[in-house]
Structure formats: C-alpha cells, structure tokens
Amino acid sequence: MRNILLKEIKLSASPLAFLFIAFGLMFLLPGYPVLCGAFFVTLGLFQSFQFARESNDTVFSALLPIAKKDVVKGRFLFTCFIELCALLLMAVSAVLRMTVFVNAAPYVTNALMNANLFALAGALVIFALFNLIFVCGFYKTAYKLGKPFVTFIIAAFVTVGAFEAAHHVPGLGALNAFGAEHIGLQLICLAAGMAVYAGVTAAAYAKACARFEKIDL
Amino acid sequence: MSIVEVRGLTKKYPSFELKAASFGVEKGRITGFIGRNGAGKTTTIKSMLNLVHPDGGEVDYFGKPLAGNETEAKKRLGYSTGAVNWYQRKKIRDIVDVVKRFYDTWDDGAYRKYLELFGLDESKTPLELSEGMKVKFNLLIALSHRAEVLILDEPTSGLDPFSRNELLEVFTALKQDGVAVFFSTHIISGIEKCADDIVYISKGKIVAAMPKEDFVSRCSAPGETLEDTMLRLEKE
C-alpha cells in the first residue's frame, strides 16, 4: 500500500495537485462562498488524472507485481490524501474563525455562509461527490475524463448552492453558527459529513475496482 | 515443462478474433512470435498478461495459472513494448527508484551492470531516449528484478539495423543465462538470426508453434529463406 501511494506521489501526480491543497485556506475568506475552495482542490486532482493518463500510468501500474484492483487503490489513496490535507487546512481555518477571529468585523458582517463545522461537512460532501462521480466514473474506461468531470462540476455547484442556502431556510439558521454557538449541532453535522465521505468513498472504490477489472487496457 | 504455457486463448472483437491460441515458451530459449500487422500478436501478448480479458483459455506461468497468481507471476516476468512511453518527463533514476520497491528480488548490482552495458544515462528522461534506448530501458527494469521470462511486443520495430542487431545479441546473451525470451515481430531476419522456436500467427490463428529447424524443414522449399517462406505462406 505504501509503495503504490509513493508511486502515485512521485510518478503519477501533477505538481498542481499539491499546490491546490492551499485552496483549503479559502475558508479564511470573508464574503466568498468558502465551499468553492473544496472544488478548486479537485481541479488539481483532475490535472493529476490527466497527467497520469498522458504518462500511460494505468498500463504501467497494471504491469507492476500488484493485483489489478491495487492500481485503483493507489489512485483512491492519493485522492483521499490530497483531500484530507486540504481538509486539514480548512479545519485550521475554520477553528481560527471560530475562536481567535470570532468577533472580527469582516466575519461578523459576512453575508455568505460562515466557515464553521457545518461548512467542513459541506467540504467533505463535495470531496465524496468527486470520488463517486469523477474517480469512479473515470474507471468506466480508465481514459475518459471529460464527462465524469463535467458531471461532477454540476453536482459540486448544486451542493455549494444548497449549503449556502441552507441557513436561510426557516428553522435552519443555527447552521450558520458563529464560534461555539450550537456546538452540538455543528459536531453532529461534521460527524454526518465524515460518515458520508467515508461511506461514499468506500462504495466508489468498490465500484471502481469492479469496473477496472472488466476493462481491456 | 514450458515456463509459459498458453492454452486455447480466445478473444473476440467486432472485427477480429483470436482463435484458440496455444503454445509454450521454454526456459533458456528464444521464441519468435511472427505474423503480419494485425495478425493478433499484440492481442495475444496482452491476453497473456491479463491486460485484456480473454473470452476463453488459460495462461500458466511457472506451472501455475495466471488467474490467482498474478502478483507472483508478474514478479518473475518482464514486459516491454517498443511503442509505449512511460512518464516521459521523469528521470530514469526517479522511475527506477519507485519501481524497485515493488520487487523483493531487485538487484542493484545487476541494475548498474545493465545500465552500463546498455549505455543508459539515468539522469535522462524517456523523452530524451531513442526508440532503441526505450526498449533497453524496459529491459533494464526487467533484468534488474531478475525476470526469468521476458515478453516483448515488437521490441525491434522502429530500430535501425545496428540497434536491432545489438538487441538480438542481448537476447542471445540472456538466453545463455537461462532467461526465456518471447518476442513478437514482423521482421523475419531477426527471427532467422536468433530464435530457437517459432510461433506463427495468421489472421488470429496460430498456424505453427515449433522449433525453428522443424518449421524450416516442414514449410520451406529448398533454397528458400525464412522470409521467402513467410511471404509465400501469407499469400497462400
């Protein structure tokens, strides 16, 4: 497992995938839909898939002494690694906004969604959609990137819109909590986001393995 | 016993069918896999490596079926194709540094030996290598993990006669070390020079699989070269 992840990092990945982890810091931006940061992180991953395809990475990996499903596992491990690194930056940013900068004017007057634990759950949902729609979709052919990525873009922006709109729905205002307000609810939302991410990613991985087994390279 | 045993391999595409291919590859022998373009050589090789899924048939490596023993088989074989470029802009050194971790049989001494023998510069990228050097790079990886059988798809295509000859000499040296070499080609002179066995495929069907001497005595007319024989057989 360590070797296949190392192969992804050293040979298959585009440098942009690592650079775009920094979009996690967009959680610090006031007056901006913070979940777009999660979408921008996936642009670097998309670039990596393209880079790997141009390097004939799939056939190269399939010839290594590993099971065919480990080729898929390597790509999922790498994807999750980048997503979780970005999530860490988002979490640090969100905690800063919830503690040190809780009374900072730009955040207090922020017209858009607050960067709190509910927003982190939103980022996890977007990453889960990427893994399901794009990564798993890619393994239908192991070379077509366009259609699964366009489908993911649509799903991602609908999700960003839904999360931004959620706290305007009567009775759901607590989702836009500042600092430690409604911390119980915030933690429940985060736990739900983590469960969605883990469950959807595991299902996407299983489906992608089954698809890849059937492909003629 | 054959080191690689192919039995009844079939694969059907809309416009092509591989028809129950059966043959063996022996330890310490060079097997030339010949046939014209589109005869089914690459489909056969890819099916042998599980890169495409055969509709039927079996492939055994070292006496065990590939299905269920894929990882072990891949540790003991090397594959190369002249046409594909891996990680064009990565340095050879960096590619090797990753690949070697997958093989517990990796031999740094052998790597250095073949690096020097093949005249490869590990600070170069595959993009900077000629076609012949790319084949040698793939061979370098296979030989450094002490592959016991080399499966090579058109390794001599696109090479100038000098590089082709050099490569055939490498095959002959490997054979003496007990390595089995199975290589596909449509360049008959290469087979004439170094092959011990011939597997001849035409329109998806294995027409002959036997030692080269037997093939020549059965199929060639007096005074006919192997190339003349192949041309005549294809016309027939």
Side-chain angles (χ1 to χ4, degrees):
Chain A
M1 196 163 93
R2 188 169 156 266
N3 288 340
I4 192 76
L5 178 61
L6 198 75
K7 182 207 71 83
E8 290 293 323
I9 291 171
K10 291 185 85 170
L11 297 181
S12 321
S14 158
L16 284 183
F18 302 104
L19 198 64
F20 282 16
I21 289 173
F23 279 119
L25 292 172
M26 284 181 71
F27 261 50
L28 286 171
L29 289 183
Y32 195 89
V34 287
L35 288 183
C36 285
F39 170 73
F40 294 147
V41 171
T42 66
L43 288 178
L45 286 165
F46 171 73
Q47 183 70 19
S48 263
F49 273 74
Q50 206 167 23
F51 185 80
R53 185 183 65 175
E54 285 158 11
S55 303
N56 292 305
D57 173 79
T58 305
V59 175
F60 184 86
S61 305
L63 287 166
L64 289 171
I66 51 175
K68 211 171 166 187
K69 67 172 185 180
D70 288 340
V71 177
V72 180
K73 186 192 275 179
R75 196 56 65 81
F76 266 88
L77 281 174
F78 174 72
T79 302
C80 292
F81 168 70
I82 295 290
E83 288 168 347
L84 295 178
C85 285
L87 191 79
L88 185 67
L89 283 187
M90 290 170 188
V92 170
S93 306
V95 169
L96 281 175
R97 279 179 70 161
M98 290 167 71
T99 54
V100 181
F101 304 126
V102 69
N103 295 317
Y107 294 139
V108 174
T109 56
N110 178 27
L112 293 169
M113 183 186 179
N114 212 354
N116 55 18
L117 301 187
F118 176 64
L120 280 180
L124 282 163
V125 169
I126 289 172
F127 289 150
L129 287 172
F130 179 78
N131 299 347
L132 180 69
I133 300 171
F134 176 71
V135 185
C136 181
F138 169 75
Y139 281 106
K140 256 186 191 170
T141 59
Y143 68 91
K144 281 187 184 169
L145 295 161
K147 193 176 162 191
F149 195 63
V150 169
T151 314
F152 162 69
I153 291 172
I154 295 165
F157 278 94
V158 168
T159 308
V160 171
F163 269 81
E164 282 288 344
H167 70 270
H168 296 293
V169 175
L172 296 181
L175 294 175
N176 205 34
F178 281 84
E181 289 173 7
H182 308 289
I183 193 68
L185 177 68
Q186 286 195 59
L187 284 168
I188 289 169
C189 289
L190 180 61
M194 290 162 88
V196 166
Y197 179 77
V200 169
T201 301
Y205 168 65
K207 180 81 179 161
C209 285
R211 283 175 167 172
F212 188 58
E213 278 295 336
K214 290 179 193 157
I215 291 174
D216 285 340
L217 296 170
Chain B
M1 191 181 71
S2 297
I3 205 164
V4 184
E5 187 77 48
V6 176
R7 289 189 303 275
L9 215 52
T10 59
K11 178 74 185 174
K12 206 167 186 172
Y13 290 111
S15 57
F16 173 79
E17 187 181 356
L18 180 66
K19 297 161 193 158
S22 299
F23 56 88
V25 178
E26 305 290 329
K27 185 179 165 69
R29 287 178 75 84
I30 299 174
T31 306
F33 187 30
I34 46 175
R36 64 189 302 170
N37 291 333
K41 299 189 295 293
T42 299
T43 301
T44 306
I45 287 181
K46 285 190 167 183
S47 300
M48 287 167 69
L49 294 163
N50 200 27
L51 292 178
V52 303
H53 294 84
D55 297 323
E58 286 171 349
V59 184
D60 287 359
Y61 286 90
F62 314 103
K64 290 180 185 171
L66 180 62
N69 298 290
E70 200 174 334
T71 306
E72 192 197 328
K74 282 179 182 172
K75 277 189 178 174
R76 296 171 72 183
L77 66 85
Y79 166 78
S80 165
T81 170
V84 177
N85 298 304
W86 321 114
Y87 312 109
Q88 290 220 60
R89 293 180 192 279
K90 299 281 181 188
K91 286 190 174 130
I92 288 176
R93 182 189 297 121
D94 296 333
I95 299 174
V96 167
D97 184 53
V98 170
V99 170
K100 67 194 272 189
R101 295 166 196 270
F102 289 89
Y103 297 95
D104 38 25
T105 51
W106 186 270
D107 181 346
D108 273 322
Y111 170 69
R112 291 280 152 213
K113 181 184 127 186
Y114 286 109
L115 193 71
E116 198 175 323
L117 185 74
F118 294 159
L120 278 160
D121 177 356
E122 59 178 353
S123 65
K124 280 192 173 178
T125 65
L127 190 68
E128 295 166 318
L129 300 179
S130 67
E131 289 304 305
M133 291 306 252
K134 278 176 196 163
V135 175
K136 285 180 180 173
F137 170 46
N138 286 328
L139 279 177
L140 171 73
I141 291 179
L143 298 173
S144 303
H145 70 77
R146 294 187 186 148
E148 293 160 65
V149 56
L150 296 177
I151 298 175
L152 313 169
D153 191 10
E154 305 273 6
T156 55
S157 298
L159 300 192
D160 62 66
F162 304 104
S163 306
R164 202 183 304 150
N165 207 42
E166 219 172 76
L167 202 62
L168 297 178
E169 281 170 14
V170 171
F171 292 171
T172 309
L174 291 172
K175 171 184 119 169
Q176 277 150 14
D177 289 342
V179 176
V181 181
F182 177 80
F183 76 106
S184 72
T185 185
H186 54 263
I187 303 167
I188 312 298
S189 59
I191 301 281
E192 228 159 5
K193 252 179 208 158
C194 74
D196 300 301
D197 301 309
I198 284 180
V199 177
Y200 170 38
I201 187 168
S202 180
K203 293 174 188 159
K205 190 179 173 193
I206 302 290
V207 179
M210 58 185 72
K212 187 172 71 184
E213 292 76 24
D214 293 357
F215 184 82
V216 170
S217 64
R218 278 188 210 181
C219 304
S220 294
E224 212 177 35
T225 64
L226 190 57
E227 186 150 358
D228 294 335
T229 308
M230 300 308 303
L231 287 170
R232 182 171 49 75
L233 289 174
E234 278 297 321
K235 274 181 194 165
E236 284 170 6

